[in-house]
Structure formats: C-alpha cells, structure tokens
Amino acid sequence: TLFRSVYFQQNPGQAHFYVNGKLFAEHNGVPANPTVMFSPKVNTVEQWKLINHSPEWHNFHIHINPIQVISVNGKALKGQPYWVDTLTMAPHSTTVIRQRFADFTGRFVFHCHVLVHEDHGMMAEVDVVR
C-alpha cells in the first residue's frame, strides 16, 4: 500500500484554494498549470491522508473509484469502514482514506465539492497508469 498526503489550503484574504500548494486553474490573474498530481498504477491500493489546513469546511470528492474512510483526526472508525465518493472535512482536520485503482486507466480529478473552492483552484488530476 502506497501512502500519500493531500493538503487542502487557502490563501487568507484571497479567493485562492490549493491542493498540495497548487492552484488547478488560473484565477484573478494568478496563473496555474494543471498537471497530474499523482500517477498510481492500475490494480494497486493507496492510502491518502487528507489534511485540511484551512479554517473552512471542504467536501472532498473523487471521480471513478470509491474511497474507504479509515479514520478521522487519528480515531479509527468503529465497525466496518464505509465506502463513499464524497466526504466532509472539518476545518483543521485529518481524514485517512483507502482506495483501489481497480481497472480504469487514464485521467480523472479529485476536488473540493464546494463549487466556489473548486472554481478557485482546489482540484487536482490523477492519472492511473499500467
């Protein structure tokens, strides 16, 4: 299992929202270069630590593969982990997820499902490779 960290950040006082310090799209004259953030191999499992460094709520949403929520703020979930494609992250929180890149190869995105955050840069591409 490969482990990755994904940081959700914003620029205080400005409408710029970042994933791992990068804007996905140009906004208010700030250029961006949407490039692939992660390139997992097909038929592998990865565990991601989603870290909300922001004072705002974010709704993490990923396309193609469902995710399994493992823990929130260091506390394992009781009972069976559950599968979702969107989860809510409280301000200054950490959520650990697990996912399997089963059979799809190619590019897709993950982003904050709060549309103003997504529209102002909080999105990234994944490219699943063979």
Side-chain angles (χ1 to χ4, degrees), residues 1 3 7 14 25 27 44 47 49 57 60-61 64-65 67 69 77 80 84 88 90 97 108 115 117-118 122-123:
T1 302
F3 297 90
Y7 295 89
Q14 297 181 16
H27 182 65
T44 61
Q47 194 158 297
K49 182 187 283 188
W57 289 80
F60 173 84
H61 174 70
I64 307 297
N65 297 307
I67 54 176
V69 180
L77 299 182
Q80 292 284 3
V84 297
T88 301
I97 61 170
F108 60 91
L115 295 182
H117 298 174
E118 172 189 351
M122 194 171 269
M123 180 162 46

Side-chain angles (χ1 to χ4, degrees), residues 6-109:
V6 184
Y7 295 89
F8 293 82
Q9 304 147 301
Q10 68 187 84
N11 193 347
Q14 297 181 16
H16 297 136
F17 295 86
Y18 304 89
V19 176
N20 284 0
K22 297 181 182 196
L23 281 173
F24 185 78
E26 181 176 333
H27 182 65
N28 289 340
V30 176
N33 184 14
T35 58
V36 172
M37 186 159 291
F38 302 130
S39 293
K41 291 189 182 230
V42 71
N43 203 29
T44 61
V45 174
E46 292 192 1
Q47 194 158 297
W48 293 6
K49 182 187 283 188
L50 308 176
I51 303 153
N52 182 359
H53 272 299
S54 167
E56 295 192 41
W57 289 80
H58 297 296
N59 295 320
F60 173 84
H61 174 70
I62 191 162
H63 292 216
I64 307 297
N65 297 307
I67 54 176
Q68 187 180 43
V69 180
I70 304 301
S71 67
V72 176
N73 293 328
K75 295 180 183 173
L77 299 182
K78 300 219 186 253
Q80 292 284 3
Y82 60 97
W83 292 88
V84 297
D85 68 358
T86 305
L87 61 89
T88 301
M89 298 185 304
H92 305 290
S93 66
T94 300
T95 303
V96 176
I97 61 170
R98 185 179 298 138
Q99 59 192 314
R100 181 169 180 247
F101 300 95
D103 52 17
F104 175 85
T105 56
R107 290 184 178 199
F108 60 91
V109 296

